[in-house]
Amino acid sequence: MSGQSGEHYRYRGTELALPAGSLQCALYAFKGGADAVYLGMKNFSARKGAVNFSFDELRKLKTICIQQNKRFYVTLNTLVNDDDIPQIMQMLHQLDMIHPDGVIIQDLGIAKIMRDCFPSLEMHASTQLAAHSVYAVKELQHLGFRRVVLSRELSFDEISEIRRECPDIELKVFIHGALCYGFSGLCMASEKITGRSANCGACAQICRTWFSNGEENRCFFSMKDLNLGPLVKQFRDIKIDSLKIEGRMKGPDYVYWCAKYYSLLLAGHSEKENEVRFAEEAMKISFSRETTEGFFNTGKNGSFNSQPMICSSYPSHIGIEAGYIEKVMKDKAVVHFTVPAAQRDGLLVVYENQNAGFALNIEDGRSFTGADTSVKISFPSNKFSKLPVRGTPVFCISRHNMNLPLISENIVLYKQPIDLAIRIEDDAVTVNDRKFTVQIQQAQHPSDVKELFRKIFEASDKSFFTAGKLCFENRSSFKDVFIPVSVIKQIRREFYSYADSKFESYVPVIPKCPEPEKFIPDSSAVHLEPVMFSEKEYYKSLENTRPMLAGLNNVAHVMWAKQHPETQVFADVFLYAHNRFAYCLLKEELPNLAGVVSANDVPSSEVPLFISRVCYRHNALGKSCENCKRDSSYRITQNGKHYKVHCKNCITVVAEAD
């Protein structure tokens, strides 16, 4: 059953992987210095709001990657049901022709189908699988995954430990962009509150909305953006295979400047410090919230060595601080700029839970103002119920001259090479398994018929295919064969027409798998924790209790369950084994699997909205870690609904109140 990833693993250097919400984004990512891009198709993408790729756009991208020695990864990182499987197989059939450098998946049912039906496609485990431990990575490797995208919540020390314990599988680490409050793959807030499932690509971003704690309304769960900057070079030192930047919903300018900034940092050119600073500023102006180093420096006891990670007052794009208000009049303001600004640059003022964006309009008509300059500007005072005071920061959120021109998408479509075995007989030409009746003649002059076939078959017009390796055999009674060019072209047309028809008429043969057995555990069941940063200690505690019935909530638990065949286990809420293919895969691995628990059969108050490593007490409420009892509870409300927040050992769980 194992994919034996280690047999093929070889560290090839640390790649920089950028998001591509569109073909333009991919082209600009490569132009900025990215080694790879990851993208979604029109369906089954965790970012449904992105433009995403059509099949022909993917073929264009493949051409570019071949020409520029780049890589691309396709995301099918949503959960699916049994009815989706035929469409999934159609998509995998197309990808099998184009052959991306990896397919990033969350659903174990897709893993089962890829492993059994499309073994040439490389499986990468999405961050949606919440792999944050050694057991999780090792189990995914056993299941056939070539690469694991680790959870965003890991510290550098924890990632280093996983690298040491799992030396023969590719690891990918998140370094820049939007952070989710809850663990990716474990967040139920959007589905529970709005009916839009984050695990199906329709996240409503509940974490970016207002809640009340009875004293104030704030975005208690809105995370700052991750920006590791020069720290990323430490990942290269421990041989992390890929560094991921978030942002498939963002535009080409953001992708280009992120690629530029981080590629310059990784290259380590000290003489390009000014270029690095310019790229960093442009990147932040393209899109940036307040920034954080995230979990990079998380201590072993769970404490954080960085500032709180919540931006509770304003959860959206804030760009860079450009200056401050010196004076406010009725509809004018004097702004002291600390960075250069120009007419039509976009500005933003955030003041006492109010915000307003507007275009810079310098009163005296100057087109440009340098740093340390005060100018009078038009000011949208009608957008504020209470005008900002002197000293209020002014942010730059766009530059009038930063829009990038379109890169031509007039790119040749990729064609899959087909190895051709051509056999010449006196009355026929056979190409692979297709036989064509042809009357062969003796050539009047010696000629290279093999090269003629190669040249003609390489010109495959609008076919999905072209000539690959060519094996030529002359079994005719003529030493030098003559076949009219028009005849060879007709053979080519019929051959490729047949190949195209076969490709387009693909009908999936759905593997036979049993339906998931519904399981309702009794009160003796131990529901294993989906999040466990002290994995060894956690499993040791289970040895002491010796559960006879256990619910598996993370792929890491599958490995534990195999080590304890005496324990009856079931796929719990967060293992997502709801389609029959995921269930079949787990059943093959676990003879002691009793069945699957459906979230619909669990009381809402027992299914958390958020499971987070971000301590609500410390990050949202701003309380010190000193003298913390590491166990506290709070109540919050939103739109008349009540929720409980429980912080224990630096893990926060938010659920509906009883």
Side-chain angles (χ1 to χ4, degrees):
M1 299 297 292
S2 171
Q4 298 297 318
S5 301
E7 293 181 4
H8 309 289
Y9 177 77
R10 178 176 62 86
Y11 176 65
R12 299 174 294 178
T14 299
E15 75 174 9
L16 180 62
L18 272 290
S22 67
L23 182 57
Q24 278 295 305
C25 286
L27 297 175
Y28 264 109
F30 292 148
K31 186 174 182 179
D35 302 300
V37 294
Y38 63 96
L39 56 101
M41 302 294 283
K42 297 295 184 183
N43 296 307
F44 307 112
S45 165
R47 294 294 182 270
K48 285 186 177 180
V51 175
N52 291 322
F53 279 65
S54 67
F55 182 55
D56 278 354
E57 287 172 329
L58 207 59
R59 293 174 67 194
K60 290 181 179 182
L61 181 61
K62 175 75 173 185
T63 297
I64 291 294
C65 288
I66 292 172
Q67 293 173 349
Q68 300 183 16
N69 193 28
K70 304 290 186 179
R71 295 180 287 278
F72 73 101
Y73 309 103
V74 176
T75 62
L76 295 181
N77 56 340
T78 62
L79 298 178
V80 299
N81 57 48
D82 288 338
D83 293 338
D84 296 323
I85 296 304
Q87 191 176 353
I88 285 286
M89 293 190 71
Q90 286 282 359
M91 190 176 296
L92 291 171
H93 170 65
Q94 291 182 327
L95 294 181
D96 202 32
M97 190 272 267
I98 293 180
H99 212 79
D101 295 278
V103 182
I104 304 170
I105 59 176
Q106 173 188 12
D107 196 298
L108 294 178
I110 298 179
K112 165 73 174 169
I113 289 169
M114 286 182 64
R115 198 173 65 178
D116 292 354
C117 304
F118 301 93
S120 68
L121 288 175
E122 195 170 289
M123 294 195 304
H124 292 190
S126 169
T127 189
Q128 295 288 118
L129 273 162
H132 60 285
S133 69
V134 170
Y135 268 32
V137 173
K138 285 187 175 295
E139 180 59 30
L140 289 167
Q141 181 176 0
H142 169 77
L143 293 175
F145 286 85
R146 176 69 177 269
R147 172 181 288 183
V148 175
V149 186
L150 295 174
S151 292
R152 305 175 185 188
E153 290 78 7
L154 291 165
S155 71
F156 178 77
D157 289 344
E158 289 163 340
I159 292 169
S160 298
E161 181 183 3
I162 292 174
R163 175 77 289 174
R164 287 192 300 271
E165 295 294 325
C166 307
D168 52 1
I169 186 171
E170 293 184 10
L171 298 178
K172 189 173 188 176
V173 172
F174 180 59
I175 63 167
H176 186 96
L179 288 166
C180 296
Y181 185 78
F183 261 75
S184 295
L186 306 182
C187 180
M188 294 287 191
S190 180
E191 182 173 5
K192 287 288 183 181
I193 294 176
T194 70
R196 293 169 51 183
S197 173
N199 284 309
C200 294
C203 181
Q205 297 196 337
I206 299 301
C207 57
R208 301 291 183 193
T209 58
W210 300 92
F211 286 81
S212 173
N213 65 357
E215 298 177 0
E216 57 182 340
N217 296 336
R218 281 200 286 140
C219 301
F220 293 112
F221 308 113
S222 180
M223 296 287 286
K224 296 178 181 179
D225 278 5
L226 184 66
N227 184 339
L228 288 184
L231 293 172
V232 299
K233 290 183 282 189
Q234 296 185 42
F235 289 124
R236 183 184 56 198
D237 295 340
I238 62 171
K239 296 185 177 180
I240 294 300
D241 300 274
S242 183
L243 304 178
K244 172 190 174 183
I245 293 173
E246 178 274 341
R248 275 192 283 155
M249 298 288 289
K250 299 182 177 72
D253 53 342
Y254 172 83
V255 172
Y256 172 77
W257 289 114
C258 283
K260 191 78 170 175
Y261 174 61
Y262 280 103
S263 63
L264 287 169
L265 284 178
L266 290 167
H269 297 305
S270 58
E271 72 277 6
K272 294 186 177 182
E273 288 184 7
N274 290 336
E275 194 174 345
V276 172
R277 281 195 293 269
F278 182 85
E280 182 180 23
E281 181 178 281
M283 174 183 71
K284 290 181 177 179
I285 292 173
S286 295
F287 189 92
S288 180
R289 298 180 179 89
E290 295 179 57
T291 59
T292 175
E293 293 177 1
F295 303 91
F296 189 88
N297 289 312
T298 302
K300 290 184 178 180
N301 63 352
S303 62
F304 296 97
N305 299 324
S306 60
Q307 293 298 313
M309 293 186 284
I310 298 295
C311 52
S312 58
S313 59
Y314 185 68
S316 191
H317 174 39
I318 205 166
I320 63 169
E321 191 166 330
Y324 57 88
I325 293 176
E326 282 190 334
K327 184 178 181 182
V328 177
M329 294 154 275
K330 185 177 181 181
D331 58 354
K332 310 288 181 187
V334 176
V335 174
H336 183 86
F337 285 99
T338 55
V339 299
Q343 296 278 25
R344 303 190 310 281
D345 284 357
L347 301 182
L348 172 73
V349 172
V350 179
Y351 178 69
E352 291 189 355
N353 292 331
Q354 306 174 94
N355 63 83
F358 53 97
L360 174 56
N361 181 10
I362 303 174
E363 284 290 290
D364 60 12
R366 283 182 291 171
S367 61
F368 178 85
T369 176
D372 296 322
T373 302
S374 296
V375 294
K376 185 184 289 186
I377 67 172
S378 298
F379 183 77
S381 57
N382 61 320
K383 296 185 179 181
F384 291 90
S385 59
K386 182 179 179 181
L387 292 180
V389 299
R390 186 173 185 268
T392 301
V394 175
F395 301 93
C396 178
I397 56 174
S398 68
R399 294 282 196 203
H400 73 286
N401 58 351
M402 273 185 58
N403 291 332
L404 300 173
L406 289 175
I407 296 176
S408 173
E409 296 183 7
N410 186 21
I411 302 166
V412 175
L413 297 174
Y414 168 78
K415 298 173 182 288
Q416 184 184 46
I418 300 178
D419 291 343
L420 301 175
I422 298 175
R423 186 171 68 250
I424 308 295
E425 298 172 288
D426 286 346
D427 59 351
V429 173
T430 302
V431 182
N432 292 355
D433 59 346
R434 304 292 293 170
K435 190 170 185 177
F436 304 90
T437 301
V438 177
Q439 206 60 42
I440 307 301
Q441 302 177 38
Q442 172 68 45
Q444 295 182 1
H445 305 285
S447 61
D448 193 338
V449 180
K450 178 180 178 180
E451 284 306 309
L452 182 60
F453 267 91
R454 183 191 306 280
K455 182 178 180 181
I456 290 175
F457 269 74
E458 284 177 346
S460 57
D461 196 26
K462 296 182 179 180
S463 174
F464 293 113
F465 304 96
T466 188
K469 295 178 182 178
L470 191 148
C471 178
F472 186 85
E473 184 180 9
N474 181 10
R475 289 188 179 180
S476 73
S477 55
F478 305 106
K479 180 180 179 181
D480 294 308
V481 175
F482 172 75
I483 305 174
V485 169
S486 60
V487 173
I488 299 176
K489 287 183 176 180
Q490 181 61 30
I491 293 172
R492 176 198 63 191
R493 282 191 291 271
E494 292 183 20
F495 176 80
Y496 283 131
S497 177
Y498 169 76
D500 289 341
S501 175
K502 186 176 180 181
F503 174 74
E504 291 184 304
S505 62
Y506 168 78
V507 177
V509 177
I510 309 298
K512 292 183 178 180
C513 286
E515 294 286 340
E517 295 181 31
K518 191 173 181 179
F519 186 79
I520 300 178
D522 58 32
S523 58
S524 69
V526 174
H527 302 269
L528 302 191
E529 298 290 342
V531 171
M532 40 189 184
F533 287 100
S534 300
E535 186 177 46
K536 292 180 181 178
E537 289 81 356
Y538 180 69
Y539 291 140
K540 186 176 181 180
S541 70
L542 292 179
E543 292 293 329
N544 296 331
T545 58
R546 291 192 176 276
M548 297 310 296
L549 178 62
L552 312 182
N553 278 301
N554 189 282
V555 69
H557 299 158
V558 177
M559 175 171 274
W560 175 86
K562 285 189 285 191
Q563 295 171 352
H564 296 80
E566 75 284 357
T567 299
Q568 188 179 41
V569 298
F570 56 92
D572 215 338
V573 173
F574 290 110
L575 195 55
Y576 304 119
H578 300 143
N579 64 61
R580 53 196 169 108
F581 305 94
Y583 176 71
C584 189
L585 180 144
L586 290 174
K587 195 70 175 175
E588 291 170 352
E589 296 290 318
L590 298 170
N592 49 337
L593 183 70
V596 175
V597 169
S598 170
N600 296 327
D601 296 328
V602 179
S604 293
S605 60
E606 295 181 15
V607 180
L609 275 66
F610 298 120
I611 303 175
S612 178
R613 198 179 194 181
V614 182
C615 176
Y616 175 84
R617 178 184 180 277
H618 173 62
N619 283 272
L621 301 182
K623 296 183 181 295
S624 172
C625 292
E626 293 184 14
N627 302 318
C628 177
K629 296 180 180 179
R630 301 174 73 83
D631 193 344
S632 54
S633 296
Y634 307 88
R635 293 275 173 155
I636 57 174
T637 60
Q638 185 189 69
N639 297 327
K641 293 184 178 180
H642 297 264
Y643 305 96
K644 56 186 177 182
V645 182
H646 186 206
C647 307
K648 187 173 183 179
N649 296 326
C650 299
I651 300 296
T652 299
V653 176
V654 183
E656 293 182 13
D658 296 329

